């Protein structure tokens, strides 16, 4: 298995532009999570899905952020319009709810810089 | 919601020294506990996890952690660190049958050769 795949690895954009981050979870994993990592706040859960349905989006900073999971193998996190304070590393993770094999698998992250 | 506290955010030590990182959580019910490691420029990787049974858990790369329920703690240890252990270490918790993983702020560990 190729693991959790995120794209792009790096994104530099100008303030006000739309940014779309992509994630492909591990096949068979029924949970998908989006986290944001910054020096100031550490790892913050933004939103998570179970069987493609958003379960908890209370961590989404504001209406500029939106996430979708149209099918079991793909999710997007969109920021529109982007602002410099959105600069961070965004991680996607997937998991199964199985005690024997349980554990999140993280993608390599997307480093977003908004100038 | 559960919360996770990690102390001593920055730790600097020499090779062969022993390492112990503290982790405390706030949740009174059943918890599942994890330690993740993030090497410079990389994504998080699972070091070890505790679900039930023996409270002393052994993970990869010589790490172990002990669950002490009475203290709401899950401290990470390694008897003798190597330069390659330089990384950030995160304690994390799921609780109440919830699959939502709550992370601590992390410990930045630097091992000097």
């Amino acid at each position: 298995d190729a693991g959790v795949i995120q794209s792009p690895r790096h994104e530099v954009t100008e303030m006000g532009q739309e940014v779309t981050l992509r994630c492909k979870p591990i096949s068979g994993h029924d949970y998908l999570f989006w986290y944001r990592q910054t020096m100031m706040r550490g790892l913050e859960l933004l939103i998570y899905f179970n069987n493609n349905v958003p379960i908890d989006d209370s961590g989404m900073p504001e209406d500029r952020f939106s996430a979708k999971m149209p099918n079991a193998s793909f999710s997007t996190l969109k920021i529109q319009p982007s602002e410099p304070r959105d600069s961070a590393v965004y991680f996607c993770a997937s998991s199964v709810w199985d005690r024997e094999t349980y554990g999140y698998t993280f993608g390599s992250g997307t480093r977003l810089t908004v100038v | 919601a559960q919360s996770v506290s990690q102390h001593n955010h920055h730790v600097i030590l020499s090779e062969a020294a022993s390492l112990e990182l503290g982790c405390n959580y706030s949740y009174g019910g059943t918890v599942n506990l994890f330690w993740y490691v993030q090497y410079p420029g990389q994504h998080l990787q699972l070091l070890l996890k505790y679900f039930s049974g023996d409270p002393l858990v052994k993970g990869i790369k010589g790490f172990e952690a002990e669950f002490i329920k009475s203290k709401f703690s899950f401290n990470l240890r390694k008897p003798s660190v190597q330069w390659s252990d330089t990384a950030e270490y995160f304690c994390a918790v799921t609780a109440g049958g919830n699959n939502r993983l709550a992370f601590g702020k992390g410990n930045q560990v630097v091992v000097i050769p």
Side-chain angles (χ1 to χ4, degrees), chain A residues 31 35 37 56 102 104 107, chain B residues 34 38 43 49 99-101:
Chain A
Y31 284 84
Y35 281 85
Q37 185 179 35
D56 184 350
Y102 181 83
Y104 282 29
Chain B
F34 307 82
Q38 186 177 27
H43 61 281
K49 61 186 178 184
N99 193 22
R100 177 182 176 142
L101 199 59

Side-chain angles (χ1 to χ4, degrees), chain A residues 1-6 24-27 105-108, chain B residues 43:
Chain A
D1 197 322
V4 176
I5 299 172
Q6 290 186 248
K24 177 177 166 50
I26 290 176
S27 177
T105 301
F106 282 81
S108 298
Chain B
H43 61 281

Side-chain angles (χ1 to χ4, degrees), chain A:
Chain A
D1 197 322
V4 176
I5 299 172
Q6 290 186 248
S7 64
R9 289 294 305 272
H10 301 274
E11 176 81 39
V12 180
T13 190
E14 290 185 345
M15 183 173 64
Q17 296 298 306
E18 177 180 295
V19 176
T20 299
L21 312 181
R22 297 173 177 79
C23 176
K24 177 177 166 50
I26 290 176
S27 177
H29 282 193
D30 54 358
Y31 284 84
L32 184 139
F33 306 81
W34 282 100
Y35 281 85
R36 178 172 67 177
Q37 185 179 35
T38 61
M39 289 288 290
M40 292 298 293
R41 290 192 292 269
L43 275 161
E44 304 173 277
L45 177 64
L46 299 177
I47 184 172
Y48 78 95
F49 297 83
N50 179 215
N51 292 321
N52 314 337
V53 176
I55 302 301
D56 184 350
D57 65 355
S58 60
M60 296 285 262
E62 46 199 276
D63 292 345
R64 297 185 297 106
F65 285 69
S66 63
K68 294 182 180 178
M69 191 165 187
N71 58 60
S73 60
F74 184 66
S75 176
T76 59
L77 178 68
K78 186 176 293 187
I79 308 172
Q80 166 63 16
S82 57
E83 297 182 3
R85 61 193 167 117
D86 301 330
S87 297
V89 181
Y90 291 81
F91 287 104
C92 176
S94 69
S95 78
V96 289
W97 189 231
D98 177 310
R99 286 167 62 91
E100 292 303 313
T101 61
Y102 181 83
Y104 282 29
T105 301
F106 282 81
S108 298
T110 295
R111 182 174 295 277
L112 173 65
T113 304
V114 183
V115 298

